[in-house]
Amino acid sequence: MSDNGSNHSVQEVDDETSLILGGAVKKSLSELHPSPLHIFKLWQTFLENVNPLIKILHGPTVQQQLLEATGSLDTVSKEFEALMFSIYCIALVSLKADDVQNTYGESKAVLLSRSRRGARLAFTKAGILRTSKPVVLQAYVLYLLSLRASSDSQSIWSLCGVAMRMAQRIGLHRDGSELGLSIFETEMRRRLWRQLSILDVTTAQSSGITSQFPYFSVDVLPPSNINDSELDPRMTDPPREHHGATEMMFVLARNEFGEWMRRWSKAGGESHGGRGFLASSLLSPEAKDEAINELNRAFETKFLQYCDKSIPLHYMSARLMQTVVCQMRFSAHHPRQYVEKDPVSLAERDFVFSTCVQILEGFEDCQSNEIIERYLWHVDNHIPWDALIYTLYELRTRSDEEETKRSWVLIDRIYSRHYDQMRNRPKTPLHIAVQGLILKVWKSHSEERTRRNRSMLPRPHIVSVLSERSERGTSSHQPRSEPSVSESGTPRGRTTQDITPGNVGMLDPLNNLDLSPLDWSQWDDLLENFQLEFTNSELFSTDAL
């Protein structure tokens, strides 16, 4: 997979703007393609790691086209070449850096950068801003998915706008059965439209924006519950849908969630949109709980009862559904809504705490369970910060054995992993605040157990690491900012100008963070700034993950 002989157009800056602004395109991109053997390996990786979660390509058909194209890269169509490069991109994203190095003899960062440059050049050759070819849109959606972990959500959402315009130009927002299209094409268009809608909605929400394309507000029917082997471009009769498990389980479970949001999104008023109805005061707590129970029943009857958890896709699907239900319950009962109200009841606090622990368990399981390791790219780098922060605050005074011990184990594993990933990166106010919170909560928790004559829990590894760093007065990170304390005792951002070499040793979160009150507006600011600063290609480079 040599990059020798490449000119300026191939060596352009590796960012998203070059996709829109364009540049000179060589007559042939063959030198950017992997070797035929590596092309097929990346395709197999795509089939195992990526395709089960999105299903926008028909595996048997594309595989035959790929084999033909590999034998003659100089004559492959410009549209299919764009798809090839996008497959390389998303397949590489799904692999660990060590596995890429061992298999392909080059670093993940180098290969991914080369594949992304090839994709952008291929999109330019294919006329992405004017084409009506569905294969180019398929390629573009894969390319956007490959950018999620290395680019900020605002950029992805803006690029989704290009995809939506392409989809409208193709007529993808109209069901193929109404347009007289074949059974095969109709089915593949439905899958592509739903995946694109999900990507647009989720990136919009991550950017703090309500999607301008209301989810499923068009006449496109849901994808069918069938396997790829039951689809063929030449078929004239529709295949019979299954009522049990198929290759579409994960995709259809996400679709069920989207349909549920569509039904309920207006219940809390037009201004909320999406899952925002769960935070609306126009809907009673009982109504919110019943809405979530409805979702849970749909998951149980349509999917979970058919799950065989020894099958990776089934396990991943089950974990997704269980975690989504917990996240919706947390949204409906989030303590933000009690900021200026009467104190929350103990029963409510217990319920929210238990829900948060389940969210953390689901996240940790996805990160560490070998059976779904191949799907880690889909959930990586998305720590459930709200649940983590709330759990920590509650642990100050909790001394019940089983759930408390389990909570500390989860926090230790989750944040220790994140701390190691961030070891050589600048520290943000969020990290300083969370690390200070961990230390102070452990201190309060230990004091509470002593007061109640309870034996001490094993000291979490992350507490030992942070305590040692605090005692040294220096950090293995190079701090860029520090939270000061507002009048209410909540963390407030401090800029890099406030930190000089002479006062770095004074950065002690244990002394700079008060635990009361729990001001979610402060944490929201820290989380928003963290997302803006750290979801970019420079700091989240693939060779560092």
Side-chain angles (χ1 to χ4, degrees), residues 94-105:
S94 75
L95 292 171
K96 292 182 178 180
D98 288 346
D99 292 338
V100 173
Q101 182 70 51
N102 294 335
T103 301
Y104 300 99

Side-chain angles (χ1 to χ4, degrees), residues 17 37 66 68 94 128 154 162 208 235 269 288 337 451 505:
T17 57
L37 176 60
L66 193 71
E68 294 172 359
S94 75
I128 188 171
Q154 286 87 348
V162 175
M235 67 194 315
K288 295 176 185 178
Q337 61 189 303
R451 189 181 69 81

Side-chain angles (χ1 to χ4, degrees), residues 56-176:
I56 65 172
L57 300 183
H58 184 244
T61 301
V62 175
Q63 179 162 303
Q64 182 59 41
Q65 294 171 331
L66 193 71
L67 289 172
E68 294 172 359
T70 302
S72 182
L73 290 174
D74 288 328
T75 61
V76 66
S77 73
K78 54 185 180 296
E79 292 84 10
F80 192 76
E81 187 168 41
L83 179 61
M84 293 176 73
F85 277 110
S86 294
I87 289 171
Y88 308 156
C89 289
I90 192 68
L92 287 167
V93 164
S94 75
L95 292 171
K96 292 182 178 180
D98 288 346
D99 292 338
V100 173
Q101 182 70 51
N102 294 335
T103 301
Y104 300 99
E106 293 185 83
S107 74
K108 179 176 178 177
V110 168
L111 295 184
L112 188 53
S113 178
R114 186 182 304 152
S115 296
R116 283 176 174 164
R117 291 200 304 274
R120 288 194 299 273
L121 292 169
F123 285 133
T124 302
K125 288 184 67 176
I128 188 171
L129 297 183
R130 59 182 181 275
T131 184
S132 296
K133 300 286 187 179
V135 66
V136 179
L137 182 54
Q138 289 174 318
Y140 187 54
V141 170
L142 292 180
Y143 179 77
L144 293 180
L145 289 170
S146 77
L147 291 177
R148 289 189 313 156
S150 60
S151 300
D152 63 276
S153 55
Q154 286 87 348
S155 295
I156 304 299
W157 182 68
S158 296
L159 293 175
C160 272
V162 175
M164 278 297 185
R165 290 293 180 264
M166 291 174 63
Q168 287 178 303
R169 184 166 59 247
I170 296 170
L172 211 66
H173 59 298
R174 298 290 309 283
D175 196 76

